[in-house]
């Protein structure tokens, strides 16, 4: 070889990284955009991606993770459908010396050494921003404001946290009352079905807080079918800001959206490379987000990528 330039010893690892990724499902526009982001970023970063769709079932995710351990992938990444019940399988990955990256949703494991980092949004903050907007809107309301809430799937971090953040924010005004709160599983069908029940059981609904756009879009159908005008008779607040949600907001059918970005792929691939190379990474990486009113949605919509 060439003369020693003093940089000897550094072996360049140009072997391809293999990532096993367990996705929650395909329940929403957010999820579809997230899957696309992960697949495209893996290809662009030269990461070989093994991808599994768990159809919103924890048992499927555990099975997929065990498969990835058996296949000796370099890195495991996953978006946990619920927060609890991961310690055993995460311990198995740790024992097999395969680093785990949490993306989008977190786990409630007390042992933080079971994963390298968590990349995703602050869901409590999203709920809080949604609630704070409502507090401001209703600051001169004299009577009770009846709110119904469509939650995400039971036990999911974004369902637990958005509920918490929203509840804390609206506590600022005792006129704001949640009169019904049920899971709609983050799907349009779920949102529609549960909203139909809410409308039947409650003659006066002033506000809907849906934990994502898709449930809000399903609810619009139920509200219209009940002869009410979404965005006027019932104020609608959602989370995500995917294209269909932003369109509904621009059209005045939604009134406010707290953004949640699904474009986690590029950062995830970057983290996978670092973790694989044995580099330290921060334990928590938070996604940057904003909020949208109707006017802001009209402005942002033409350049929206998802
Ligand atoms: O808000 C919802 C999706 O985990 C942040 O999951 C994600 C949530 C998102 O089904 O649309």
């Amino acid at each position: 070889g060439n003369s020693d330039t003093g940089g000897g010893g550094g072996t360049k690892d140009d072997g391809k990284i293999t990532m096993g990724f367990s996705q929650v499902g395909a329940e929403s526009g957010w999820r579809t955009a997230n899957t696309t982001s992960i697949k495209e970023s893996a290809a662009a970063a030269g990461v070989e991606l093994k991808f599994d769709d768990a159809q919103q079932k924890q048992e499927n995710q555990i099975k997929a993770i065990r498969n990835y351990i058996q296949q000796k992938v370099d890195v495991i990444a996953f978006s946990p459908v619920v927060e609890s019940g991961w310690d055993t399988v995460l311990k198995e990955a740790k024992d097999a010396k395969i680093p785990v990256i949490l993306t989008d949703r977190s786990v409630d494991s007390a042992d933080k050494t079971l994963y390298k980092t968590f990349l995703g949004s602050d869901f409590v903050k999203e709920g809080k921003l949604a609630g704070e907007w409502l507090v401001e809107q209703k600051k001169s309301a004299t009577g009770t404001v009846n709110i119904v809430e469509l939650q995400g799937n039971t036990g999911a971090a974004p369902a637990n946290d958005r509920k918490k953040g929203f509840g804390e924010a609206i506590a600022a005004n005792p006129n704001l009352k949640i009169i019904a709160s049920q899971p709609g599983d983050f799907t349009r069908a779920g949102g529609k079905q549960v909203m139909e029940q809410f409308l039947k059981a409650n003659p006066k609904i002033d506000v809907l807080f849906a934990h994502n756009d898709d449930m809000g879009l399903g609810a619009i159908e139920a509200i219209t079918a009940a002869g009410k005008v979404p965005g006027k008779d019932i104020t609608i607040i959602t989370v995500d800001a995917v294209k269909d949600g932003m369109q509904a907001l621009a059209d005045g059918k939604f009134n406010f959206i707290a953004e949640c970005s699904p474009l986690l792929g590029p950062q995830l691939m970057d983290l996978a490379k670092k973790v694989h190379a044995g580099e330290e990474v921060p334990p928590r990486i938070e996604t940057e987000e904003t909020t949208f009113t109707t006017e802001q949605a009209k402005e942002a919509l033409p350049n929206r990528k998802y």
Side-chain angles (χ1 to χ4, degrees):
N2 294 325
S3 59
D4 188 3
T5 52
T11 48
K12 195 168 167 256
D13 181 10
D14 48 22
K16 233 184 179 183
I17 297 178
T18 304
M19 173 188 285
F21 188 90
S22 167
Q23 181 60 292
V24 168
E27 73 281 3
S28 65
W30 190 100
R31 190 63 54 196
T32 312
N34 180 243
T35 292
T36 304
S37 170
I38 285 158
K39 288 185 174 170
E40 286 179 357
S41 315
V47 170
E48 192 186 321
L49 184 70
K50 295 175 188 287
F51 183 91
D52 184 78
D53 174 340
Q55 298 178 5
Q56 298 232 70
K57 291 204 179 81
Q58 181 171 35
E59 65 200 79
N60 291 346
Q61 289 202 293
I62 292 175
K63 220 183 278 170
I65 293 168
R66 291 204 165 122
N67 275 336
Y68 296 146
I69 294 172
Q70 224 161 41
Q71 293 168 27
K72 297 188 164 56
V73 299
D74 296 310
V75 180
I76 291 171
F78 81 115
S79 173
V81 61
V82 292
E83 278 187 288
S84 303
W86 299 102
D87 289 26
T88 305
V89 72
L90 289 179
K91 181 82 182 10
E92 288 167 22
K94 194 184 173 190
D95 290 345
K97 299 195 163 51
I98 302 176
V100 172
I101 299 175
L102 302 178
T103 123
D104 159 35
R105 299 184 184 178
S106 192
V107 299
D108 64 5
S109 303
D111 181 357
K112 306 294 177 207
T113 70
L114 293 177
Y115 55 91
K116 294 289 177 196
T117 181
F118 165 41
L119 164 68
S121 310
D122 180 342
F123 302 131
V124 177
K125 188 167 150 197
E126 292 165 353
K128 216 175 211 157
L129 290 169
E132 282 169 0
W133 179 83
L134 186 63
V135 168
E136 176 60 26
Q137 289 298 304
K138 301 289 180 188
K139 65 178 176 214
S140 42
T142 45
T144 304
V145 176
N146 286 343
I147 305 167
V148 296
E149 180 178 32
L150 287 168
Q151 302 172 29
N153 63 288
T154 304
N160 294 340
D161 294 354
R162 287 171 185 164
K163 183 170 191 12
K164 180 168 182 266
F166 184 78
E168 282 170 6
I170 64 165
N173 181 349
N175 280 332
L176 304 181
K177 285 220 171 68
I178 299 180
I179 57 166
S181 180
Q182 292 287 329
D185 295 338
F186 282 128
T187 65
R188 280 189 202 204
K192 183 177 179 211
Q193 204 194 331
V194 178
M195 192 68 201
E196 279 166 1
Q197 293 165 16
F198 284 165
L199 286 158
K200 261 185 220 153
N202 306 283
K204 183 181 174 279
I205 296 174
D206 303 303
V207 178
L208 163 65
F209 173 47
H211 288 184
N212 79 343
D213 288 339
D214 282 84
M215 291 191 293
L217 292 163
I220 282 180
E221 294 177 40
I223 293 167
T224 309
K228 300 194 171 175
V229 183
K232 300 230 156 55
D233 296 334
I234 299 179
T235 299
I236 303 181
I237 307 166
T238 67
V239 186
D240 276 356
V242 296
K243 227 186 201 128
D244 290 352
M246 290 288 272
Q247 189 62 57
L249 183 57
D251 294 344
K253 294 176 180 166
F254 285 178
N255 305 85
F256 190 73
I257 303 180
E259 186 187 36
C260 179
S261 174
L263 305 181
L264 304 176
Q267 273 174 298
L268 174 60
M269 297 310 146
D270 195 46
L271 285 166
K273 286 187 176 173
K274 287 190 172 144
V275 158
H276 181 62
E279 285 175 39
E280 283 291 319
V281 295
R284 172 78 173 102
I285 298 163
E286 219 176 275
T287 320
E288 271 179 45
E289 281 146 3
T290 181
T291 59
F292 295 98
T293 59
T294 290
E295 283 318 307
Q296 291 163 331
K298 280 183 191 159
E299 233 172 84
L301 208 46
N303 303 313
R304 212 66 189 157
K305 294 208 174 56
Y306 57 91

